[in-house]
Amino acid sequence: ALSEHPSLTLETCELEEEKPSITLETLKALKQKHPNNTYIYLMGEDVFAGIDAWDDWTELIQYSHIVLINRHNPTHQQKTPKAWQPKLTADIEDLHKKTHGHVLQLSIPPYILSSSNIRSGLKAKQNRWLEEVPESVKRYILKHHLYKAQLT
């Protein structure tokens, strides 16, 4: 998926963990290992809708930028949590000025595929997601058993 974007890299540290990953702990570990790197946590509206159930979710911004992606209704902006409102920016260039601490809301054309949809489809033994992802992404998911994926 990143082959067309050579300036981006994929961090796979969570794949090496035997226990479920916790986003905040992963970001803390990455920031400790590479303090000068900029990390951007992309969060779809489906994940964002339940963010207040996460432990210490307000701390995410101390280790990364947060980009809230609205992919179902591009004219609607998610309401940014009060804790993050002072960090809200409308200028994507602000993400280049600091290694963490900004919140950016992006609207993209409707695209229904998400990690939540893949998980739900796999749980229901539906493989529709296989048709939705690029071939390279599908091979990677299956090879590395992401989401406990397997063809049935």
Side-chain angles (χ1 to χ4, degrees), residues 6-148:
S7 64
L8 299 177
T9 57
L10 178 66
E11 176 55 62
T12 60
C13 65
E14 290 185 340
L15 298 177
E16 298 156 15
E17 295 290 325
E18 293 184 17
K19 59 183 178 163
S21 60
I22 297 173
T23 301
L24 181 60
E25 296 306 316
T26 299
L27 288 172
K28 283 180 180 180
L30 289 171
K31 205 61 166 165
Q32 185 175 12
K33 187 175 180 182
H34 305 287
N36 296 322
N37 282 8
T38 297
Y39 295 100
I40 298 175
Y41 187 73
L42 302 175
M43 186 181 303
E45 62 190 335
D46 52 332
V47 172
F48 177 66
I51 192 70
D52 57 346
W54 292 20
D55 290 335
D56 303 319
W57 64 270
T58 58
E59 292 183 38
L60 293 172
I61 200 166
Q62 295 174 27
Y63 303 95
S64 71
H65 295 300
I66 307 295
V67 176
L68 304 175
I69 299 175
N70 180 347
R71 59 181 157 217
H72 293 122
N73 182 356
T75 61
H76 175 262
Q77 290 288 320
Q78 289 285 348
K79 185 174 180 184
T80 305
K82 192 178 267 190
W84 286 349
Q85 285 179 359
K87 305 295 186 174
L88 192 61
T89 182
D91 187 357
I92 199 165
E93 291 301 317
D94 285 341
L95 306 186
H96 296 282
K97 296 175 184 172
K98 291 175 52 178
T99 61
H100 63 281
H102 288 296
V103 176
L104 176 72
Q105 291 186 327
L106 287 180
S107 289
I108 61 174
Y111 187 70
I112 61 167
L113 188 64
S114 68
S115 60
S116 298
N117 289 346
I118 291 173
R119 279 188 196 92
S120 296
L122 287 166
K123 190 173 185 179
K125 305 244 187 260
Q126 297 171 345
N127 288 326
R128 191 180 122 220
W129 66 272
L130 289 168
E131 302 163 8
E132 305 282 336
V133 298
E135 187 63 32
S136 60
V137 173
K138 177 172 52 175
R139 280 194 310 270
Y140 190 89
I141 289 171
L142 294 171
K143 178 181 178 183
H144 296 282
H145 305 289
L146 303 185
Y147 311 113
K148 307 290 187 229

